[in-house]
Each structure stands twice: as C-alpha cells, then as structure tokens.
Amino acid sequence: MHAALPDPVEDAAFYDGVPLRRLLAFLIDAALIFGLAVIVIGVLTILTLGLALPLAGLLSLLIAFGYRWVTLAAHSATLGMAFLGIELRNRAGGRLTSGEAAVHTGLFLMLMASILGWIATVLAILATERGQGIPDLLLGTVAINRPAE
C-alpha cells in the first residue's frame, strides 16, 4: 500500500519533526484563514449593508475549505505547511490531485469541527508509524519533509 512512500525506518529523515511542524502549520493556516475571513466578511457586510453578516459562519467555512483545497491542490501543501517545509503525498508517493485535496480538506474540516475529531487526529499522528492523521489514514496520504527536487 505504501510502497512509493518513504519508509519511516529507512528514510526517517522524511518524517523527522513533522508532527510538530504540522501543528505549527495548522496554527499559521488558522491565522491566515481567520484574517482572510475577517476581510471577506467585513467587505461583504459593508457592501450588503449588513445583510451578509448572518452568513458569517457559512462564509468562514467556505473560505477555510477554499483556502485549504486550493493550496493543497496547487502545491500539496498549505501556505503554513510550505513555510515549514512539509507537504502531503498520496499513497503512490505523488503530490495530491485536486480531487484528493478536496476530499482530504473535507475530512479534515469535519474532524476539526469537534474536539473528539481533533483529539483523535492528534493521537493518530502521534501513534502511527508515518505520523498520519485520520484523513491521512483514510486516504493513504502522509505528511513528509519536502524532498529536495
């Protein structure tokens, strides 16, 4: 199943420090998404004379989904992940396709919506050989240190 992915024992350098950097990338991305949401919702609220404000929750979710999907589809990494030198790889060892990025994003956001989903994902990252979260385990993806190309 993971033949094309780096072996966590033989190629341990691909996994060194990744769990901590995933957490830091999550925090960076959360700050970027929050800032983007504040700007978009603020502008829409002004342009619609306040009518868009009740849609703030839905708009925030759409912005979070769009940000994560677009960045993962384009670079196999969010901006936070890219800044910290990590990226996601699919089960074949390649970068994520747009479809894989969309499904990974959907699963990730559903899990992050509950404290139990968040805890389960963190525990999975800490407990699995390749540091895979729940979305990674379901899709066969893995976060690794960005290889030199």
Side-chain angles (χ1 to χ4, degrees):
M1 176 177 154
H2 294 292
L5 294 172
D7 182 86
V9 175
E10 293 179 23
D11 299 314
F14 280 105
Y15 301 96
D16 287 343
V18 171
L20 175 59
R21 282 187 289 186
R22 282 186 92 164
L23 172 64
L24 295 174
F26 171 79
L27 296 174
I28 291 169
D29 292 326
L32 291 171
I33 291 167
F34 178 79
L36 186 58
V38 166
I39 291 168
V40 169
I41 293 166
V43 168
L44 286 175
T45 299
I46 291 168
L47 291 176
T48 64
L49 303 173
L51 295 176
L53 198 54
L55 300 174
L58 177 62
L59 288 170
S60 296
L61 180 61
L62 291 174
I63 290 166
F65 185 91
Y67 167 88
R68 189 168 174 84
W69 177 30
V70 167
T71 56
L72 287 179
H75 306 289
S76 216
T78 62
L79 295 176
M81 293 168 73
F83 178 72
L84 293 166
I86 58 176
E87 63 185 39
L88 289 173
R89 293 296 174 120
N90 64 22
R91 68 178 67 241
R95 292 182 173 199
L96 299 187
T97 65
S98 180
E100 289 168 333
V103 173
H104 195 283
T105 296
L107 291 169
F108 176 81
L109 291 176
M110 283 190 295
L111 287 161
M112 293 303 105
S114 78
I115 190 70
L116 292 178
W118 192 87
I119 290 170
T121 297
V122 169
L123 290 176
I125 289 171
L126 295 175
T128 56
E129 186 177 46
R130 286 183 162 86
Q132 294 168 290
I134 303 296
D136 301 319
L137 291 168
L138 293 171
L139 297 175
T141 56
V142 65
I144 60 171
N145 288 315
R146 186 175 40 238
E149 295 184 35

